[in-house]
Amino acid sequence: MEQSAEQAQQLDHLATGPTPPSPFAAFGMPGFGGPALSVPPEPRPILELEGEEYEDELDALSDWVDDFLNPVYGAEVTTAAPWCPQWQEHDAVVAWLHALWLAYQQHKDPEAGLSGLLVWHRDFLTHAITAVRAPDGPLSACMTSPERPAHRILPGPPPSARTKETDTAAAGTPGSGEPDEPTS
């Protein structure tokens, strides 16, 4: 009798079918009375990280660049495609390569399907490498020949005039502030 009761419960459970998805699932919201959906953490751009968190992410990125990206896609270093062994000191390069690495991780995931890595090659790899290694790109003042190692960080543009005015006003410099505003 107990066995028949268990089988009846199992049949009832199977007969109810799967729970339909929440109509709000696409928005990351649970259905009526359903459990909350777990949302994976959002990746943060590496340049927004600080301290140990930044160092750990840069170490992992460096491993990927040194062990995978450069041996496979590094190509020859030339004036048309410069490189820098100290690329980690170039913020623009770190930002580009980190974004490329995040996209690689997403597109190699089985959920990306069989064409995931092709999409990564087509939509991400070519564009990122072209930007990083452009003759006038962020590494243009660095190594253009393996026989002549070089590293130089080019200065970026100065702050805007508005930023300079705001910084001067914040410092309390006499005469700073808005026009027609009394300074006392």
Side-chain angles (χ1 to χ4, degrees), residues 15-102:
T16 59
T19 307
S22 164
F24 308 109
F27 302 104
M29 298 171 58
F32 299 110
L37 299 173
S38 64
V39 179
E42 291 185 26
R44 291 178 48 207
I46 193 168
L47 297 181
E48 289 181 4
L49 305 177
E50 295 178 355
E52 191 173 322
E53 189 178 17
Y54 173 82
E55 291 299 324
D56 290 346
E57 193 75 1
L58 186 60
D59 286 345
L61 174 62
S62 297
D63 289 344
W64 180 74
V65 169
D66 293 341
D67 297 341
F68 174 73
L69 187 69
N70 274 344
V72 177
Y73 302 103
E76 185 178 4
V77 176
T78 66
T79 55
W83 183 248
C84 183
Q86 298 170 345
W87 61 266
Q88 298 94 337
E89 296 178 22
H90 298 268
D91 285 345
V93 175
V94 169
W96 271 104
L97 294 179
H98 187 252
L100 183 63
W101 180 46
L102 293 176

Side-chain angles (χ1 to χ4, degrees), residues 51 70 83-84 119 126 164 173-175:
N70 274 344
W83 183 248
C84 183
V119 171
T126 305
K164 286 181 185 176
T173 305

Side-chain angles (χ1 to χ4, degrees), residues 108-160:
K108 77 173 190 163
D109 188 278
E111 289 185 16
L114 296 175
S115 62
L117 286 174
L118 179 63
V119 171
W120 178 76
H121 280 86
R122 182 195 67 201
D123 294 348
F124 300 95
L125 176 68
T126 305
H127 183 67
I129 293 298
T130 300
V132 167
R133 297 192 64 190
D136 60 346
L139 301 177
S140 61
C142 291
M143 184 170 66
T144 57
S145 169
E147 287 80 37
R148 294 187 311 275
H151 168 69
R152 192 174 93 192
I153 297 178
L154 298 174
S160 69

